[in-house]
Amino acid sequence: VCLSDNPSKPCFVLFFKGVRIMLDCGLDIKQILHFVPLLVVPGFQVSKARPWSQGGDKRTRVPDDVTQELKDCGGRLLVDGAPEFAIPETGIINLSTLDAILISSYGCLMALPYITECTGFRGTVYMTEPTLHIGRLYMEELVKYVERNPKSSVASHWKQEHIIRNLPAPLRDAIRPRQWRKLYTLHDINSALSKVQLVGFSEKVDIFGALTVTPASSGCCIGSCNWIIQSKYEKICYVAGTSTLTTHPRPMDQAPLKNADILILSCFTQTPLSLPDPMIGEFCVNAAVTVKNGGNVLVPCYASGVTFDLFECLSGHLDQCGLSGVPMYFLSPVSDSTLAYSNIFAEWLSSSKQSKVFLPECPFPHADLLSKGRLKNFSSIHTGLTTDFHTPCILFAGHPSLRMGDIVHFIELWGNSSANTIIFTEPDFPHLDALAPFLPLAMRVCYCPIDTSLNFSQANKLIRDLRPLHLVVSETYTKPPVLEPLRNDLTIDFEPSPLTYKQGEVLSLPVKRQFEVVEMEQELANTLEPVEVKPGSALSLVTASLVAKDNKFLLKRLSKETQLSRKRRADGSLLWRKPYIFGTPSLHTIADALKQHGFSSIKVEESDTGSIIHLVKEDSLIQVDGSSTHIICDSEDVRLKLKDVMLKCLKQL
Amino acid sequence: MTEIKVTPLGAGQDVGRSCILLTIGGKNIMLDCGMHMGYNDDRRFPDFTYIAQEGRLTDRLNCVIISHFHLDHCGALPYMTEMVGYDGPIYMTHPTKAICPILLEDYRKITVEKKGETNFFTSEMIKTCMKKVITVNLHQVIQVDEDLEIKAYYAGHVLGAAMFHIKVGQNSVVYTGDYNMTPDRHLGAAWIDKCRPDLLITESTYATTIRDSKRCRERDFLKKVHSCIEKGGKILIPVFALGRAQELCILLESYWERMNLKVPIYFSLGLTEKANHYYKLYITWTSEKIKKTFVQRNMFDFKHIKPFDRAYIENPGPMVVFATPGMLHAGLSLQIFKRWASSENNMVIMPGYCVAGTVGHRILNGARKIELENKQMLEVKMAVEYMSFSAHADAKGIMQLISHCEPRNVLLVHGEAEKMAFLKNKIQQEFGIDCFMPENGETSYIKTVHNIPLDTSLNLLKRQLVPAEETEEPDPKHLKVLHGALLMKGSRMQLIEPAAAFRELGIDEYELRFTCNISTEEEGSVSDTSERVYRTLLREFPRCPVQCSSDGSISVGESVLVKVSGDEDCKNILVSWSHQDEDIGSHIQKVLRPDA
C-alpha cells in the first residue's frame, strides 16, 4: 500500500508473512507553499501581503469569512493561518496494527509523530543513530519555526469543496487540504522518538521471528539506509534516497540488495535535468561573484546534509578567489546541534572523513572554519548575530520553503538590492513558487538544485546490477517528466515491466512462498532411517509433533505413549504412519523370489496389459502390471507369505 | 554433533597477553593478540609457533578479532602480522583502530628507545599492520566469509571496547574481551541480547570480588586526594592515557569546581590532548549522560587540568599528576615515582590492576623497598593507595552477563587460577552449565548439539496448523502431528508432502493389492449377510469410515472393499485392500473368517 503522494517523501505499508511494516514516514512539506510566510517577529506580516479583494463574478464570490483567511501576496493567493502539513494517508489501513516502521533517512521521518501519536500505534520504529538525532533536530527546527510566530487559528473555511473550486490557481489545486494537519509539538516528537530502536548498518533485526530486516548504507545522507526485508526464502529490498555519488556519507552498499524477489524504488532525484557536481560549481561561482561585487548571498537550506558539503566547497572556492575574509553565517535554531553531531558520527561517514578522525581531527572542515571564525552559527537573528555582523557575507538559513524561519527576514531585508543574490540549492520546493509571495524582487535569483539521489541513468544501471525478479516504482517514474515529455531516457526501463504504485493504491506483490524453516530435534533425527532412493537422494518418512512458538517451528519426537496409542489400529483410529512402497521389480525378480521362498509350482502368463503368475499348488494368482501387483489368494497364511516376498522385491518406507 | 575448540595462547588462568585461538565449524579465529606487561623476554608475546611451526599464519587463520585497545589485548599485533606474517582480516571498532596505533607506538618507543632493544617491530610495521584492519560498528553483522559472521556489542570497558558474537552455521561463541556491567562516569554498561551462544568466553579479572558501590569508592578517592593536598603532598596517579584517566579527570574536575580548589592538576603531555580529542569525537561510544549534554558542553574539555612538563616534577607545593603508564613499569610515571617516593607527604594512587612483575604490583603488595633496574634500592615512604577503578565486571557482573545471554557453556580466561576455580564452581552450581578454564596451551573441547533446519513445504505446514476437520477452536495444547517425507539431496533437506516427494524423485508409488475370498456356509439372503458384515465392521472400526454402497459392497477406510455374493446356502465374501491398509485388511480377515 502506498500512502504518500510525493515519491520523494515516501510512505508505504508492506504486508508480508503476517507482519505489517511501514516503510518510511515522509512528510510532504510542499503544501506549506500555500501559506503566508511567517516572519521572525511575531505579529508582523510580509510586506507584500494585502487583503484579498476579489473581483468580478457574483456567482463565484466567496463569503467574507473565507476572504479573511486568504491574503494576496505578490499576486498570489495564500492562506493566512497556522501552517498545516499534508500527512500520509491514514484512512486506508488501521495504522494501530502496524508492527514496525522502518525509516531510511532523516528526510523521510518527518511525519512520524502523526503516525505514532495519533493512530494508536504500538509497534517499534527502527532507524540508525544519525537518523534519530538529525531527524529529531529537523523536526524540532520545524516546530520552533512555527511556534516562534504562533498563528491563533487554523484556517479551514476555504477548504470547503464549493469554495475551493472557485478560488484562483494554484490554491485551487491544493492536494486534499482537508486532510492537512497542524504541526506536532516538541512533546509529540519526544514521545514518537521514544519508540525508536536504534540499528547499525547490516545489523540483522528480527521481527517476531518471521522476518529479519537489515539496513544497508545508501550513501545519500549521514546514516541513511536501504532496507532488506527477508525471510529464509524471500527477499524484498526497499531502496529509498540512494546516492551512488561520493559526498560526505558512507558510500552505498550494493551487495546486500542483489538478487531480490522484489525491489521497491523511491526517492529518485527531483531534478533529473541537472547534475549535482556542475551545480555545486555554479553555486560557488555565483556566490563568489556576488560577494566580490559587494553583495550578500542568501542560501535557503536545511540544517544538515548537503549544507555541509556547501560549506566545504564554498570555503575552498573563496580561498581560491582570495575571498577568504568573507564571513559565512549559518542560522538555524538547531545549528549548534547539527554541527556538533556532524563531528561525532565518524562511523557513518565516507572513509576519507573517517581517516581524519583517526589522526584525530574533526571529520568536517566546517569545524575548522568555526574555530577560525570564518563560519559562525546562530540559533536566530536575535541571538548575537546583530552585534557581530559584517557584510558582504554569505548567509545560510532555513527554512528552504521560504515560508518560515530567519530566511524570510533576510529576503525582506535584502530583496530590494540587485547587488544581492539568493541561491536555491534544495530541490524539495519549486523555487518560483517559493519566491512568489515576495515578488517583485530586485535581488538576483539563482537556481542550482543539488540533489544527490539517483538519477534515471544511475537508477537503470543500479537495477541492471541488482537483478531483481520484480521491480516496484512510482507511477511517475515510468513516464517522462511533464515538462520534458520527449525525454524517454528519464524513465525506468525494466523487463518484466515494473509494477507501479501511487497514493492510496494497494499493490499485491508477486512473491510466492513455498517453504518455511522447521527445525528438527537431534533426538528425532537419530530415529530416522533414510532410504537411498536414487544416487544422491535419500528419503525418509517423518512423523513427529510440531511445536509452533514465536513464529518458529520445531519438530519433536512423538512421546512414547502417543506413539503407542496411535499405532493401535484395531479400533479404527487413524494411523499416523502409513507404509509407502515403491520400486519396479521385473517379473523375473518376482518369480525368482517366489521360488526362493518355496513356491515351486509357478506358471507365468504374459500378456500385453500385464502378466499373471499362477501358483498352482496354492491356488493363488498374482497379477503384475508395471507399477501395481494384485494378489488374489484365499488362504491367509499363503497371503502373508506372498506379501513378504513382494515386499522383499520392493522398497519400503 | 559438532565441536568447538578453544586454546588460550595467553590469558589462560592469567591476566595479560590475551590471545585465544578458537576453532568453530572449521574456522580458525584468533581472539585478541596481546602482550604481557610482566615480561621483557619472549614470553611477552603469545607463542605463535603453536599455530604454525614456521611460515606465515595467513592460511591458518580465518580472521583476528581485537576487543579493545589495551596493550594486553593488542600489543602483539604488529609482531604477529608483520614479523610472523599474517595478511588476513583483522577486525576492531573505530575507536580501537584510532587509538590502538598510538599506544603501540608509545610501547615501541619505550621498549626500543629507552631500553635499547633491537629486533622489535618498527613504526612502519605498525602502519602496515593497521592497514589490514577492518572496522566494525556496534551490532553490525559482518560476513567474514560465506559461513562466518561476527557481530560487536558494547562492552563499556574503555572507549570502543566491544564483545564479539561469532557464528558459523548454527554454532556460536561470544567473546567478551574486558567488559563492565555497571555504567561509570564516562562509559555505559555492557549489553548483549539473549543470543544463547554455545559458548561464552568471559574475562574473570574480578572473579571473586564484589565491589562496593561506586559512589562510596569515589567519595573515598576524593577524600584521600583532598587530605593529601591539604597537607601539601604531591599525588601521583599512574594511568593509561585512555580510559580510567578520563573518568578520574571528570571526577576531579567536578570536585575541583565544587570545592573551588586551586591546586594544579596535570596530565602528562602528548597523549592527553589527543586522547581527550578522541573522546570528543567518539562521544557516541560514551555514556548516555555525556551524549545528552555534549552539545552544550563537551565533558572532555577540561578547565582545571593542564598539560604536564617534566620540569614540574621538582616544583614545590601540592599537585596532582596523572602520568602514564599505569603499572609503573616504565616511562614518566616511574620517573615521577622515583622522585617522590621518599617523602611521606606524597601519595601514589593506583587506580587499576597491576600485572605481576611490575613496580606497581610490588608496591601494592606492600613492598617498601624496590630494586630498580640498575641494582639501586628505592625506599618507598609515600602512601600507597589502591583504588579499584578498573572497569572490569565483578563476580556479580559476570553472573549477570551469563544469565543475560544464556550460554550453554562458559569458558573463563583473563583471571587468576584460584579465583577462576571459585567462579567456575559458582557458575556450575547456579546455572547448571559446563564451565572450562584452560591453561595457556591447553585445549578445551566443547560439544554442541543443534536442531537441524529443514526446508518445509508451506502447504504441508499449513495443513497441520489449520486443522481441516475439527471445527473447534485451535487448542494450543493439542498435539499437532506432522507427517511428511524428508527428502535429502546432497546437503539440502526438504520436508514435503510424501506424494510431492515421489513426484520430485520421479518414482511411482507401487500398488500392492490383495484380494481374498472367504466362504461361509451361512444361510439366509445375501443382503442379510451383507448387513451382518456391515454391522460387524462398524463395530470393529468405530473411527474409520465404513460405508455401504448401492451395489451392496462395503468400503472401509480408503482402499478396503468388501463384497458379499453367493446363494442362499453358501456365501462368498470378497475382501480386497491395498497394502497401505494392510492392518485393516488382515483384521477383517480375522473377524470374518468363520474359523476365527
Side-chain angles (χ1 to χ4, degrees):
Chain A
V1 183
C2 173
L3 303 182
S4 166
D5 179 51
N6 183 347
S8 295
K9 299 285 169 216
C11 184
F12 304 95
V13 174
L14 177 77
F15 294 81
F16 185 48
K17 280 190 78 178
V19 182
R20 293 155 180 248
I21 301 175
M22 177 176 274
L23 302 172
D24 273 341
C25 208
L27 185 63
D28 191 3
I29 305 189
K30 248 185 216 164
Q31 303 306 331
I32 201 185
L33 294 177
H34 292 299
F35 288 84
V36 175
L38 297 175
L39 265 187
V40 186
V41 189
F44 279 80
Q45 285 270 332
V46 180
S47 56
K48 301 277 172 5
R50 307 264 177 280
W52 183 40
S53 52
Q54 41 180 343
D57 208 336
K58 259 202 167 158
R59 274 176 302 141
T60 57
R61 269 188 92 90
V62 294
D64 281 350
D65 56 344
V66 177
T67 49
Q68 274 163 19
E69 289 176 1
L70 303 174
K71 284 265 155 54
D72 185 350
C73 270
R76 185 177 285 231
L77 201 58
L78 297 175
V79 179
D80 186 17
E84 296 180 290
F85 298 86
I87 64 166
E89 183 74 55
T90 48
I92 303 180
I93 318 171
N94 181 0
L95 293 175
S96 64
T97 58
L98 283 180
D99 296 312
I101 301 182
L102 309 181
I103 300 293
S104 67
S105 72
Y106 54 75
C108 296
L109 58 57
M110 305 286 279
L112 196 61
Y114 290 118
I115 305 295
T116 57
E117 304 312 300
C118 308
T119 63
F121 171 80
R122 283 188 306 271
T124 314
V125 185
Y126 296 93
M127 62 177 81
T128 61
E129 190 168 358
T131 304
L132 171 73
H133 291 305
I134 300 176
R136 178 198 296 275
L137 295 174
Y138 268 40
M139 292 195 280
E140 282 176 7
E141 185 186 31
L142 207 55
V143 170
K144 280 178 186 157
Y145 281 149
V146 172
E147 287 182 351
R148 210 151 63 177
N149 191 352
K151 292 261 176 179
S152 47
S153 60
V154 172
S156 56
H157 296 298
W158 65 278
K159 291 179 183 174
Q160 296 161 57
E161 194 80 39
H162 64 278
I163 289 172
I164 199 167
R165 235 182 307 139
N166 294 326
L167 294 175
L171 189 54
R172 184 172 56 207
D173 305 325
I175 299 161
R176 295 192 222 207
R178 257 165 298 163
Q179 289 194 7
W180 294 357
R181 293 282 176 278
K182 264 183 92 167
L183 192 65
Y184 35 76
T185 62
L186 284 179
H187 172 264
D188 292 336
I189 299 176
N190 286 333
S191 160
L193 293 180
S194 68
K195 300 176 171 90
V196 170
Q197 185 180 334
L198 292 180
V199 292
F201 285 152
S202 36
E203 175 174 353
K204 291 179 183 168
V205 182
D206 184 278
I207 297 186
F208 300 131
L211 297 172
T212 54
V213 295
T214 310
S217 179
S218 71
C220 123
C221 48
I222 301 179
S224 69
C225 58
N226 296 319
W227 288 93
I228 299 135
I229 302 148
Q230 56 188 345
S231 66
K232 181 86 189 290
Y233 306 98
E234 302 89 13
K235 179 162 161 184
I236 297 177
C237 293
Y238 169 62
V239 172
T242 295
S243 176
T244 47
L245 302 168
T246 16
T247 52
H248 60 269
R250 203 142 111 155
M252 180 198 180
D253 189 5
Q254 275 197 22
L257 303 171
K258 283 196 172 145
N259 301 321
D261 294 294
I262 306 250
L263 180 66
I264 304 171
L265 290 177
S266 71
C267 290
F268 287 172
T269 178
Q270 302 176 63
T271 57
L273 298 172
S274 40
L275 290 170
D277 276 344
M279 281 300 144
I280 287 189
E282 207 174 297
F283 165 81
C284 292
V285 171
N286 274 319
V289 167
T290 307
V291 176
K292 211 176 240 171
N293 297 333
N296 297 310
V297 180
L298 197 52
V299 187
C301 65
Y302 287 120
S304 178
V306 175
T307 310
F308 294 157
D309 289 318
L310 293 180
F311 289 151
E312 186 169 352
C313 295
L314 188 60
S315 62
H317 186 77
L318 291 178
D319 286 347
Q320 282 174 13
C321 303
L323 293 169
S324 19
V326 176
M328 294 192 275
Y329 299 106
F330 179 30
L331 257 68
S332 158
V334 293
S335 60
D336 267 340
S337 307
T338 52
L339 289 170
Y341 273 116
S342 70
N343 282 333
I344 63 160
F345 287 132
E347 285 107 317
W348 310 86
L349 297 176
S350 63
S351 53
S352 66
K353 294 243 185 290
Q354 262 178 29
S355 50
K356 279 198 173 161
V357 179
F358 293 148
L359 292 177
E361 273 173 25
C362 292
F364 282 97
H366 57 234
D368 193 39
L369 297 174
L370 274 170
S371 64
K372 287 192 185 130
R374 282 185 60 188
L375 176 68
K376 290 190 178 121
N377 71 297
F378 299 95
S379 63
S380 79
I381 49 171
H382 304 304
T383 53
L385 176 68
T386 35
T387 57
D388 189 24
F389 193 62
H390 302 279
T391 51
C393 66
I394 298 165
L395 190 124
F396 294 81
H399 183 273
S401 65
L402 307 191
R403 289 299 178 268
M404 49 195 173
D406 306 282
I407 191 95
V408 182
H409 175 80
F410 284 95
I411 297 180
E412 298 271 288
L413 193 68
W414 291 348
N416 296 321
S417 164
S418 60
N420 300 330
T421 308
I422 181 166
I423 309 179
F424 288 89
T425 58
E426 288 298 337
D428 278 356
F429 305 94
H431 72 291
L432 293 176
D433 289 341
L435 268 182
F438 304 98
L439 294 175
L441 272 179
M443 96 195 287
R444 235 158 53 85
V445 177
C446 289
Y447 183 54
C448 312
I450 299 164
D451 192 336
T452 54
S453 309
L454 289 177
N455 63 31
F456 285 91
S457 67
Q458 288 162 348
N460 281 322
K461 182 180 177 303
L462 181 71
I463 295 164
R464 279 195 300 278
D465 289 346
L466 297 182
R467 298 166 178 278
L469 276 181
H470 297 279
L471 187 66
V472 180
V473 296
S474 163
E475 199 171 35
T476 51
Y477 295 149
T478 55
K479 300 175 199 140
V482 187
L483 297 173
E484 300 279 329
L486 297 176
R487 292 288 295 273
N488 275 324
D489 55 326
L490 298 183
T491 58
I492 288 298
D493 84 283
F494 183 71
E495 282 301 315
S497 66
L499 305 161
T500 60
Y501 58 79
K502 63 178 187 201
Q503 185 171 28
E505 254 185 20
V506 179
L507 190 67
S508 70
L509 304 177
V511 183
K512 222 176 141 194
R513 293 176 54 222
Q514 283 185 310
F515 288 106
E516 180 62 81
V517 182
V518 173
E519 292 200 339
M520 179 166 64
E521 278 194 339
Q522 191 88 36
E523 200 191 341
L524 173 66
N526 291 341
T527 64
L528 297 180
E529 290 163 3
V531 176
E532 186 161 25
V533 181
K534 279 184 170 177
S537 304
L539 202 60
S540 169
L541 288 183
V542 180
T543 303
S545 75
L546 181 69
V547 183
K549 195 178 161 194
D550 300 341
N551 281 329
K552 304 257 185 246
F553 302 102
L554 181 65
L555 279 183
K556 282 186 163 174
R557 202 175 164 184
L558 285 172
S559 64
K560 273 261 165 58
E561 51 188 288
T562 38
Q563 265 180 331
L564 286 176
S565 68
R566 301 291 178 187
K567 268 268 166 72
R568 249 187 291 122
R569 183 59 192 275
D571 64 348
S573 71
L574 276 170
L575 185 71
W576 294 109
R577 200 183 161 116
K578 286 197 170 186
Y580 289 89
I581 45 177
F582 57 92
T584 45
S586 69
L587 199 54
H588 275 292
T589 357
I590 298 173
D592 289 349
L594 285 171
K595 277 177 198 156
Q596 274 176 23
H597 286 81
F599 296 98
S600 48
S601 52
I602 298 175
K603 247 164 71 181
V604 180
E605 287 171 35
E606 283 186 67
S607 71
D608 290 345
T609 53
S611 324
I612 297 173
I613 302 172
H614 193 184
L615 302 178
V616 184
K617 206 166 92 190
E618 289 81 9
D619 189 22
S620 296
L621 285 177
I622 304 173
Q623 290 175 353
V624 184
D625 169 20
S627 64
S628 70
T629 297
H630 194 169
I631 294 172
I632 303 164
C633 162
D634 292 343
S635 148
E636 181 68 2
D637 294 341
V638 177
R639 187 189 71 81
L640 290 174
K641 249 191 204 165
L642 287 174
K643 185 187 89 179
D644 291 343
V645 173
M646 279 311 293
L647 290 180
K648 282 220 170 70
C649 301
L650 293 162
K651 282 183 182 167
Q652 189 178 12
L653 281 176
Chain B
M1 190 105 61
T2 44
E3 207 174 55
I4 297 173
K5 249 172 35 177
V6 182
T7 315
L9 296 186
Q13 304 185 2
D14 186 19
V15 176
R17 203 178 71 183
S18 278
C19 181
I20 296 139
L21 290 181
L22 169 71
T23 305
I24 168 172
K27 307 282 173 188
N28 296 315
I29 298 152
M30 180 184 283
L31 303 171
D32 280 341
C33 189
M35 47 83 68
H36 204 294
M37 306 273 185
Y39 300 116
N40 280 323
D41 50 19
D42 282 348
R43 285 174 297 172
R44 72 178 157 212
F45 290 142
D47 179 14
F48 295 112
T49 54
Y50 181 91
I51 308 169
Q53 267 308 312
E54 52 189 32
R56 306 174 68 80
L57 305 177
T58 312
D59 302 334
R60 307 287 179 119
L61 291 174
N62 291 83
C63 73
V64 175
I65 294 171
I66 303 293
S67 65
H68 64 280
F69 57 66
H70 278 161
L71 288 174
D72 59 332
H73 291 260
C74 70
L77 198 59
Y79 172 76
M80 185 195 90
T81 61
E82 306 311 311
M83 298 173 81
V84 180
Y86 171 75
D87 300 316
I90 303 164
Y91 294 94
M92 52 176 86
T93 63
H94 286 263
T96 309
K97 185 182 176 182
I99 296 161
C100 185
I102 300 175
L103 294 184
L104 285 170
E105 180 59 29
D106 206 43
Y107 170 49
R108 189 196 66 82
K109 265 192 200 147
I110 288 172
T111 334
V112 176
E113 286 165 17
K114 295 263 163 66
K115 296 189 188 154
E117 273 188 57
T118 49
N119 193 25
F120 203 72
F121 53 77
T122 62
S123 300
E124 206 44 53
M125 285 179 183
I126 297 176
K127 280 191 191 119
T128 41
C129 165
M130 294 314 288
K131 280 192 188 123
K132 297 171 187 174
V133 170
I134 301 169
T135 49
V136 299
N137 285 351
L138 285 182
H139 300 177
Q140 177 186 16
V141 177
I142 293 216
Q143 214 74 39
V144 177
D145 59 31
E146 223 165 82
D147 311 310
L148 173 62
E149 58 178 49
I150 59 174
K151 180 177 177 183
Y153 290 95
Y154 192 77
H157 171 64
V158 288
L159 193 72
M163 308 192 271
F164 282 88
H165 183 239
I166 301 145
K167 197 172 160 206
V168 180
Q170 291 186 304
N171 294 318
S172 59
V173 170
V174 168
Y175 174 60
T176 62
D178 293 355
Y179 63 103
N180 183 14
M181 294 299 283
T182 47
D184 62 29
R185 273 177 192 272
H186 77 290
L187 295 169
W191 180 86
I192 194 160
D193 53 22
K194 216 178 249 328
C195 51
R196 298 193 177 91
D198 294 305
L199 176 66
L200 172 75
I201 303 177
T202 172
E203 63 133 330
S204 47
T205 321
Y206 292 123
T208 52
T209 18
I210 291 177
R211 289 174 296 163
D212 46 15
S213 98
K214 188 105 188 168
R215 207 166 278 272
C216 288
R217 265 178 293 142
E218 282 173 3
R219 211 180 305 134
D220 209 26
F221 169 76
L222 291 171
K223 223 161 72 192
K224 276 177 186 157
V225 170
H226 200 157
S227 65
C228 180
I229 54 169
E230 266 182 344
K231 282 184 276 173
K234 298 174 173 44
I235 300 175
L236 169 67
I237 307 177
V239 287
F240 287 102
L242 291 140
R244 253 357 59 195
Q246 273 69 25
E247 190 189 344
L248 293 179
C249 282
I250 293 175
L251 192 64
L252 286 182
E253 168 96 4
S254 54
Y255 187 73
W256 252 236
E257 208 159 304
R258 205 167 63 232
M259 308 298 285
N260 207 8
L261 291 176
K262 294 282 178 274
V263 173
I265 306 175
Y266 296 113
F267 205 126
S268 64
L269 193 68
L271 271 178
T272 338
E273 266 176 278
K274 246 180 165 179
N276 289 341
H277 202 140
Y278 279 118
Y279 272 83
K280 282 185 227 166
L281 292 176
Y282 286 112
I283 286 282
T284 41
W285 288 81
T286 57
S287 71
E288 286 302 320
K289 194 180 150 207
I290 293 185
K291 268 195 250 181
K292 269 196 195 124
T293 55
F294 91 100
V295 176
Q296 286 83 43
R297 181 173 172 224
N298 201 317
M299 280 275 224
F300 298 101
D301 283 328
F302 298 118
K303 267 193 236 140
H304 297 270
I305 295 163
K306 300 168 198 86
F308 185 74
D309 188 283
R310 260 170 221 284
Y312 296 168
I313 299 182
E314 309 296 343
N315 277 8
M319 63 172 105
V320 180
V321 177
F322 288 93
T324 53
M327 300 186 191
L328 287 179
H329 56 281
L332 183 65
S333 63
L334 185 60
Q335 200 188 343
I336 299 175
F337 174 74
K338 283 190 233 166
R339 299 290 314 167
W340 291 357
S342 47
S343 166
E344 287 145 13
N345 274 341
N346 296 345
M347 180 190 274
V348 58
I349 297 178
M350 306 295 296
Y353 184 86
C354 285
V355 157
T358 58
V359 174
H361 186 79
R362 272 179 278 167
I363 57 167
L364 276 184
N365 283 341
R368 301 310 283 178
K369 280 196 171 144
I370 303 285
E371 192 190 318
L372 299 169
E373 56 258 50
N374 45 9
K375 301 277 174 208
Q376 266 183 331
M377 294 305 283
L378 179 70
E379 201 171 345
V380 182
K381 286 191 182 148
M382 74 198 298
V384 177
E385 293 289 346
Y386 173 69
M387 304 286 318
S388 152
F389 278 110
S390 260
H392 290 280
D394 57 7
K396 206 171 117 205
I398 296 171
M399 301 304 269
Q400 220 178 336
L401 185 85
I402 295 173
S403 64
H404 223 101
C405 76
E406 294 187 1
R408 294 192 184 85
N409 298 278
V410 176
L411 190 142
L412 301 178
V413 294
H414 201 280
E416 287 156 29
E418 310 98 76
K419 293 182 181 174
M420 270 187 185
F422 176 81
L423 184 67
K424 176 181 163 173
N425 257 327
K426 205 169 148 191
I427 290 171
Q428 283 169 338
Q429 276 169 16
E430 204 151 306
F431 298 101
I433 52 179
D434 262 348
C435 187
F436 302 80
M437 42 176 283
E439 280 179 58
N440 285 337
E442 177 192 331
T443 304
S444 294
Y445 299 88
I446 292 99
K447 289 204 168 22
T448 60
V449 179
H450 285 286
N451 294 334
I452 300 159
L454 305 173
D455 297 351
T456 304
S457 146
L458 213 56
N459 290 336
L460 182 69
L461 201 61
K462 273 187 184 157
R463 195 184 306 157
Q464 303 307 321
L465 293 178
V466 186
E469 296 152 35
E470 286 149 76
T471 49
E472 307 145 38
E473 293 276 295
D475 174 13
K477 276 183 194 157
H478 179 74
L479 187 69
K480 294 188 185 88
V481 176
L482 180 138
H483 180 67
L486 179 67
L487 179 62
M488 282 169 270
K489 252 184 182 174
S491 61
R492 183 156 184 223
M493 293 202 273
Q494 286 185 333
L495 188 61
I496 50 182
E497 288 156 307
F502 287 126
R503 248 196 327 274
E504 172 139 2
L505 290 172
I507 52 173
D508 296 319
E509 218 178 313
Y510 196 90
E511 206 195 342
L512 186 59
R513 220 180 157 75
F514 304 98
T515 304
C516 290
N517 284 304
I518 304 168
S519 20
T520 58
E521 287 167 11
E522 194 177 282
E523 287 182 19
S525 72
V526 172
S527 55
D528 282 352
T529 315
S530 205
E531 184 64 23
R532 182 184 65 79
V533 169
Y534 178 59
R535 284 182 193 291
T536 317
L537 292 178
L538 273 181
R539 192 178 65 240
E540 290 292 326
F541 302 103
R543 294 180 63 184
C544 212
V546 180
Q547 274 165 352
C548 197
S549 73
S550 54
D551 63 346
S553 60
I554 303 160
S555 73
V556 185
E558 279 171 36
S559 71
V560 187
L561 204 73
V562 181
K563 199 175 162 107
V564 184
S565 60
D567 49 34
E568 286 287 313
D569 308 321
C570 190
K571 305 287 176 310
N572 187 32
I573 307 168
L574 180 128
V575 186
S576 175
W577 69 95
S578 89
H579 178 66
Q580 281 194 15
D581 287 323
E582 168 69 23
D583 50 348
I584 303 183
S586 54
H587 191 70
I588 293 177
Q589 291 274 314
K590 269 187 218 141
V591 180
L592 293 187
R593 270 185 199 280
D595 42 25

